[in-house]
Amino acid sequence: MRLATPTGFATEVFLQETPDPALLPEGPWTLVGDLRLREAWLGAGLPEPSHALWVSVSEDEKKLRTLLPWLEHWARVPLHREATVVALGGGVLSDMAGLASALYLRGVAWQVWPTSLLAMADAALGGKTGVDLAAGKNLVGAFHSPRRLVACTSFLESLPPRHLENGRWELVKTALIQGETTWAVEMLQGGPVKIPWVERTLAYKAGVVHRDPREAGERRLLNLGHTLGHALEAASGYGLLHGEAVGLGLLCSCLLAEDLGLKPFPPAFLESLARRLAPLASLVAPWPACLPLLLRDKKAKHVPGPAGDEPATEIDCILPRSGEPAIQRTLAPQVWESPHARLIDLLDREASRA
């Protein structure tokens, strides 16, 4: 099923149960795929180019150096400007393949076939590609939209429960951005992720990206949960999955909004967030490990201080409100210290109850 997207949107979006070879590029193409999915790809009757790259990449390998062998391989094939790269995998592989496509010959077309819930709900749509530096996540990247996104739910069947839960947090994030607390509560209940939730999330993100493709305004709202979330993810040595870190960041964002006097969420809602996140308590890094990462966040900016003082650091932070759309505030990184402490307290309390 092709989803409705804004007129002129750069990416065709398909959401369906099983993969369809008719959705592959019509002209010359190559494949960069997660090695663990090769059997499922071939088992679905999908073709395998002779020069396909089957790779195994983790967040630790989301570096520029990992892309160089891919680029050299494409040059040896050789791939020409009319070729299309098909990326098959989760969010890490999607980010990397998209950046490699942007770099090769100054940009070749690509398709993304996301195979994790996290990638379907977030990483695969919007054209933000990137790799990490030692200083932080996604500090090197490019805007390079895929021509087509093909989300096949059959690929989710092989995911372990933790990875399905990991993707759920990007869906909850979308609800909180819009102030749809009732929808967020529904997704925090037990039971499997529902495909209409994914469809609703993709439709919302497509609209935002179309209106603000370069993240100059409205698109910044999609960073809800990511400010402290990215710091927690990196400080854990990537023991936290990305969606898990975003979930922790969402709870902290709710707490920070309350600290700043915005419309608070009911205690029962905060407890339901904490209950689902409680198993991650041991992976939450202490505040002193998070602050340096916040200071280096890619959204951080330095503002002049009084004469003779060091410049101050500020970050564009997204704050949710109960029953109302999220808003943006420019804040000092240090404001996250109190919500971080309350996060640990809430998680410990819920873990002890369990």
Side-chain angles (χ1 to χ4, degrees):
M1 168 179 68
R2 181 173 179 176
L3 302 188
T5 54
T7 302
F9 189 59
T11 304
E12 299 176 327
V13 181
F14 292 83
L15 179 61
Q16 50 197 73
E17 183 177 349
T18 57
D20 181 356
L23 295 176
L24 289 165
E26 295 180 1
W29 63 282
T30 193
L31 176 74
V32 179
D34 187 322
L35 181 60
R36 295 169 297 182
L37 294 162
R38 186 181 186 189
E39 185 176 341
W41 180 264
L42 298 176
L46 296 165
E48 178 185 37
S50 60
H51 38 69
L53 285 172
W54 292 101
V55 298
S56 179
V57 290
S58 63
E59 187 72 45
D60 287 343
E61 297 165 302
K62 193 180 173 187
K63 311 290 184 187
L64 274 173
R65 64 173 179 268
T66 307
L67 301 185
L68 293 178
W70 303 6
L71 299 171
E72 294 285 4
H73 174 74
W74 293 346
R76 286 193 300 269
V77 169
L79 288 186
H80 299 296
R81 288 186 184 274
E82 71 275 10
T84 299
V85 173
V86 174
L88 174 76
V92 171
L93 188 141
S94 298
D95 280 358
M96 295 173 68
L99 180 57
S101 301
L103 293 172
Y104 185 68
L105 298 180
R106 297 191 178 93
V108 294
W110 71 298
Q111 289 188 5
V112 58
W113 293 52
T115 59
S116 71
L117 181 59
L118 181 71
M120 291 180 186
D122 181 54
L125 187 65
K128 288 172 73 173
T129 71
V131 293
D132 303 337
L133 296 179
K137 279 181 59 67
N138 297 325
L139 295 183
V140 176
F143 287 97
H144 187 50
S145 294
R147 297 278 180 84
R148 181 174 292 166
L149 183 157
V150 183
C152 302
T153 57
S154 60
F155 286 129
L156 300 178
E157 296 170 2
S158 62
L159 288 179
R162 184 185 178 190
H163 284 260
L164 283 172
E165 184 72 0
N166 182 49
R168 187 188 296 258
W169 292 110
E170 286 289 349
L171 305 178
V172 174
K173 177 199 80 173
T174 302
L176 293 183
I177 290 172
Q178 299 174 83
E180 298 282 355
T181 311
T182 301
W183 183 29
V185 169
E186 178 187 351
M187 292 188 288
L188 289 170
Q189 304 306 310
V193 169
K194 298 178 181 179
I195 299 307
W197 298 347
V198 180
E199 182 178 352
R200 187 173 175 180
T201 298
L202 285 170
Y204 172 74
K205 184 170 184 181
V208 171
V209 170
H210 184 65
R211 291 187 294 272
D212 182 17
R214 307 289 291 189
E215 200 171 311
E218 180 187 9
R219 187 170 177 175
R220 294 174 184 167
L221 294 173
L222 299 177
N223 290 319
L224 175 62
H226 286 63
T227 301
L228 186 60
H230 274 166
L232 290 169
E233 184 180 359
S236 74
Y238 298 105
L240 283 170
L241 300 176
H242 176 69
E244 294 171 339
V246 168
L248 294 165
L250 289 175
L251 177 50
C252 273
S253 297
C254 293
L255 299 173
L256 178 57
E258 183 178 311
D259 288 348
L260 296 174
L262 300 179
K263 186 175 181 181
F265 287 87
F269 178 75
L270 298 179
E271 289 169 6
S272 67
L273 282 173
R275 194 173 305 120
R276 290 198 79 102
L277 294 164
L280 307 174
S282 65
L283 295 172
V284 176
W287 173 249
C290 296
L291 180 57
L293 292 160
L294 284 168
L295 292 169
R296 297 195 297 266
D297 187 282
K298 65 179 181 292
K299 300 180 294 298
K301 52 190 174 185
H302 300 294
V303 296
D309 288 354
E310 292 290 327
T313 300
E314 296 181 341
I315 303 178
D316 292 329
C317 301
I318 310 303
L319 302 171
R321 299 177 293 176
S322 180
E324 298 179 12
I327 62 171
Q328 178 180 301
R329 290 275 181 87
T330 302
L331 303 167
Q334 290 80 2
V335 300
W336 291 97
E337 182 174 6
S338 175
H340 178 275
R342 291 178 65 192
L343 168 72
I344 292 175
D345 181 63
L346 279 170
L347 296 185
D348 288 345
R349 194 182 313 165
E350 291 299 327
S352 64
R353 286 178 182 173

